[in-house]
Amino acid sequence: MDDKHEKSPQARGAKGGAARAVKLTHEEKALIAKKGAAARWNSITTKSKENNALVTARRGNPITPGQGTLDLQIQKQIEIDGVGMGVLSDGTAFLTGRGLARLCGISNPRIVEMGQDWDKSPAPAMTAGIHKILAERGLAIDTPYIEVKQRTGVFYAYPDIVCLAVLEYYAFDAPNRSDQAQKNFRLLAGKALHDFIYTQVGYDPDDFIPHHWQQFHDRVSLTYNSVPKGYFIVFKEIADMIVTLGQAGLQIDSSFVPDGSVGNIWAAHWRDNDFDSRFSARMKWEHNYPDYFPQAKSNPQPAWCYPEAALPEFRRWMRESYVGGGKFSAYISNKIRQKELPASFAQLVITAYNLGD
């Protein structure tokens, strides 16, 4: 069969395109690539504008209007081939500085310099080029990274929108263009980087549970149907306290386990008042922490459960002695001294429980 009948219009067009490409100068090829990049950007910038680019974190209302909200946290994180990536607690997809540098085929100090030069006027060529790319997409970014305050120090997360701008700069605009940046930009332009990060870390925005609430949920699920009938446990009885503080903005995680403090002091109160004789004997049950909790190393842990007849006494003691008597404030202060909780916890607790009156 004749060749011209075998070739589809699409195939003949592709062949013609390849022939034209051979005749293009380097500058003309770069211009075409830039136009393609602009088209790909539309898919992410349009979506970003709808979501205000970096959306506000989903949290409970602050206790007082002047207090503000706590910092974002890392929801999920992973490293693939030296490229660190993850998702923040507000759904922002990010790369680490080293991961972004690796993706662009440049050294990490260049990314550090970008952050240091971000507000300089006039800005150095690299930073000015990235500002220009973002401005062309209608994006104004105060800083190229988001500071995530952790107990080990400050972590810098570079949002996917900034990462794409840096990648585009090194693919097309930098004096020393990077072949690696061009290759990765073609693969990850538009929403591809955003979706790639979500997929790699296993993040589903439609099934979102903030990390600190997930930890609380996991603890609750491990106690479901595990307590002997007719008995109560401290953790379930103080769940309203944990929820109240979580809604106020406290980070509910493995470092904040107030049921241990409550349980120890309540157990002493029980012994001192010989409540075994008054309510019937308490008993041991197997308590487990979620596998990822540091405390899980000693699972299962024998813990006390108490006869339900003692519930009114426990609730009175909790209200009047543990909280009202200052024992809860002492627990928080001790955790802050041990640097297991940030100092801001103290004011949140005082405000949530009106302890300053």
Side-chain angles (χ1 to χ4, degrees):
M1 189 176 290
D2 192 281
D3 240 8
K4 66 182 179 182
H5 296 295
E6 289 182 2
K7 300 291 185 182
S8 66
Q10 290 86 352
R12 292 196 297 275
K15 182 177 180 181
R20 287 192 299 275
V22 173
K23 300 176 182 179
L24 293 175
T25 66
H26 179 79
E27 289 72 18
E28 289 171 329
K29 289 179 181 178
L31 180 60
I32 292 171
K34 286 283 286 182
K35 288 180 178 178
R40 293 188 188 98
W41 263 90
N42 288 337
S43 64
I44 189 168
T45 54
T46 300
K47 186 69 174 177
S48 297
K49 288 173 183 175
E50 292 172 359
N51 295 334
N52 292 325
L54 304 178
V55 297
T56 303
R58 285 168 278 190
R59 303 184 186 88
N61 292 328
I63 297 172
T64 59
Q67 182 180 299
T69 54
L70 295 181
D71 295 324
L72 295 177
Q73 296 296 316
I74 297 173
Q75 183 76 10
K76 291 193 174 186
Q77 188 175 10
I78 196 172
E79 184 173 304
I80 301 174
D81 295 331
V83 179
M85 64 189 72
V87 179
L88 298 180
S89 52
D90 67 347
T92 298
F94 71 86
L95 295 178
T96 64
R98 291 187 182 278
L100 175 55
R102 187 174 177 85
L103 202 68
C104 295
I106 61 175
S107 63
N108 184 58
R110 298 296 293 144
I111 302 300
V112 176
E113 289 169 11
M114 175 184 69
Q116 294 172 339
D117 297 338
W118 195 255
D119 293 326
K120 285 186 179 178
S121 182
M126 171 195 173
T127 307
I130 295 166
H131 275 302
K132 182 173 181 290
I133 290 170
L134 290 169
E136 287 172 350
R137 317 306 173 204
L139 299 171
I141 307 295
D142 291 335
T143 61
Y145 50 75
I146 297 172
E147 291 188 4
V148 180
K149 295 179 181 177
Q150 301 177 309
R151 293 185 182 90
T152 54
V154 178
F155 175 88
Y156 297 97
Y158 291 79
D160 57 318
I161 290 177
V162 174
C163 293
L164 279 178
V166 176
L167 195 56
E168 181 177 337
Y169 174 79
Y170 277 103
F172 305 117
D173 299 334
N176 52 336
R177 296 187 186 94
S178 165
D179 292 339
Q180 185 172 331
Q182 288 182 4
K183 177 183 176 182
N184 286 329
F185 185 81
R186 292 188 185 101
L187 292 172
L188 300 173
K191 281 185 82 271
L193 175 60
H194 178 272
D195 294 344
F196 175 76
I197 294 173
Y198 270 26
T199 300
Q200 294 304 311
V201 303
Y203 179 82
D204 182 358
D206 296 324
D207 188 27
F208 179 85
I209 298 178
H211 185 53
H212 57 284
W213 283 123
Q214 183 66 61
Q215 295 190 43
F216 175 67
H217 290 181
D218 290 347
R219 285 202 68 195
V220 170
S221 67
L222 285 175
T223 63
Y224 177 74
N225 249 3
S226 65
V227 183
K229 289 183 179 178
Y231 291 80
F232 72 91
I233 59 172
V234 168
F235 174 66
K236 283 190 174 180
E237 282 303 307
I238 67 168
D240 60 339
M241 168 195 284
I242 297 173
V243 170
T244 297
L245 295 175
Q247 289 176 331
L250 295 186
Q251 182 73 14
I252 307 300
D253 57 20
S254 60
S255 65
F256 182 66
V257 186
D259 49 298
S261 168
V262 176
N264 289 334
I265 300 174
W266 166 248
H269 179 69
W270 182 277
R271 289 192 307 271
D272 293 345
N273 289 276
D274 191 22
F275 283 162
D276 274 358
S277 299
R278 178 177 170 185
F279 298 110
S280 79
R282 57 184 176 166
M283 63 185 292
K284 293 282 188 178
W285 67 290
E286 288 192 354
H287 173 268
N288 289 280
Y289 285 97
D291 291 341
Y292 54 86
F293 270 55
Q295 297 93 330
K297 294 177 181 177
S298 55
N299 281 345
Q301 302 178 11
W304 289 112
C305 59
Y306 298 87
E308 289 178 348
L311 267 175
E313 171 61 21
F314 173 81
R315 291 168 179 168
R316 182 203 63 76
W317 170 86
M318 184 71 186
R319 180 181 63 254
E320 297 177 6
S321 180
Y322 187 78
V323 176
K327 296 179 178 64
F328 187 36
S329 294
Y331 165 76
I332 295 296
S333 298
N334 186 50
K335 287 289 185 180
I336 292 171
R337 281 195 301 272
Q338 295 171 353
K339 300 189 182 302
E340 293 183 15
L341 294 176
S344 57
F345 266 47
Q347 186 57 46
L348 286 170
V349 170
I350 290 170
T351 307
Y353 283 89
N354 297 316
L355 300 180
D357 297 341

